[in-house]
Amino acid sequence: MKIPIKMVFLDKIKKNWFLIGIIVVISLAKLAPVIGVKGGILRPEITVKYLAVSFIFFNSGLSLRTEDLKSALLQVKLHIFVQSFTLIFVPCFVWLLVQLLSLTSINEHLLNGLQVVGCMPPPVSSAVILTKAVGGNEAAAIFNSAFGSFLGIFVTPLLLLLFLGSSSTVPYSSVFMTLTMTVVVPLIIGQISRRYIKEWLERTKPPFGQVGQGVLLLIIYTTFCDTFSNPALEMDRYSLAAIAVIGTKNSSVCRKEFCNFGRYELKLLA
């Protein structure tokens, strides 16, 4: 029996709604950046920086079994690999890539920005949501996102000094407190709440993954609102397109590898 084209089309949309959503929110940010810009109607400096990120980790704490989190904490080889890959291999690889791209006509400021991104710790919210979306080890992703963020407070400034020769003062106590309140505390509250509604959660199976991805779309939207509202963003299309392609390819590969390691529990390292 031949499946109607309309049904096939709707099924494709349903499976790829998140990717379509990314395109939509970026387009909306381009059309009306004033809505999601800092100080705008949505107040992302509060709703996103604190509430959205906190909700993502509360959501994870609510959906994950405590046994899974305990098991993830003991995967020492996995954690060493992920942190080494993120904070050693990636910065060095990006540095080599930047050296090659500096021979082209790509804007120097974009290349410096690419190096800065390469020195950043694991993403806090997107790593957890995207790992869950592809069926990876969400518990391991949560630990490495949180631990990597705390580690990045000290490691990232050193990497920037090494690769770019730039240094700056880091408000360690402020950053540490923000990460604790938006990552660790919501996760613990989610775990405590799960104990009281565990049976209801197992019976109804709420769409935690889809809810988390929806919140991530909000984060992406407000981020691009800030980007498009910046009058200093005047780069040639060739440079922007090149960096976009490179960034997309690299993030896709790294995300795929990280999720695969989580899915198969790093058997090769065990």
Side-chain angles (χ1 to χ4, degrees), residues 85-103 108 110-120 158-166 246 250:
F85 183 85
T86 305
L87 296 174
I88 298 177
F89 174 79
V90 171
C92 293
F93 174 78
V94 172
W95 180 81
L96 290 174
L97 182 62
V98 168
Q99 300 310 303
L100 292 174
L101 293 176
S102 63
L103 301 176
E108 180 185 358
L110 285 178
L111 293 180
N112 289 337
L114 183 62
Q115 183 65 69
V116 171
V117 172
C119 295
M120 292 293 108
L158 295 177
L159 291 173
L160 293 176
L161 180 61
L162 175 64
F163 291 111
L164 294 177
S166 60
I246 293 168
N250 287 340

Side-chain angles (χ1 to χ4, degrees), residues 10-166:
L10 291 176
D11 185 58
K12 289 290 185 182
I13 292 178
K14 185 177 180 180
K15 289 181 178 179
N16 299 284
W17 73 271
F18 181 66
L19 293 177
I20 297 172
I22 292 177
I23 297 174
V24 171
V25 297
I26 292 177
S27 300
L28 292 175
K30 177 65 175 177
L31 292 173
V34 68
I35 297 176
V37 74
K38 289 181 181 178
I41 299 174
L42 294 180
R43 296 288 178 182
E45 63 273 17
I46 298 175
T47 58
V48 172
K49 184 178 180 180
Y50 297 104
L51 299 182
V53 175
S54 298
F55 178 80
I56 287 174
F57 282 90
F58 171 77
N59 188 43
S60 295
L62 204 60
S63 63
L64 279 173
R65 297 185 307 166
T66 304
E67 295 78 11
D68 293 336
L69 283 174
K70 290 180 179 179
S71 177
L73 289 175
L74 300 177
Q75 294 177 306
V76 179
K77 291 182 179 180
L78 170 62
H79 306 324
I80 292 175
F81 174 82
V82 171
Q83 299 306 325
S84 299
F85 183 85
T86 305
L87 296 174
I88 298 177
F89 174 79
V90 171
C92 293
F93 174 78
V94 172
W95 180 81
L96 290 174
L97 182 62
V98 168
Q99 300 310 303
L100 292 174
L101 293 176
S102 63
L103 301 176
T104 67
S105 58
I106 296 179
N107 188 281
E108 180 185 358
H109 298 296
L110 285 178
L111 293 180
N112 289 337
L114 183 62
Q115 183 65 69
V116 171
V117 172
C119 295
M120 292 293 108
V124 177
S125 53
S126 59
V128 175
I129 293 173
L130 295 175
T131 299
K132 183 180 180 64
V134 299
N137 190 331
E138 183 186 2
I142 289 174
F143 176 83
N144 281 285
S145 295
F147 180 69
S149 295
F150 284 110
L151 197 61
I153 296 175
F154 307 98
V155 176
T156 296
L158 295 177
L159 291 173
L160 293 176
L161 180 61
L162 175 64
F163 291 111
L164 294 177
S166 60

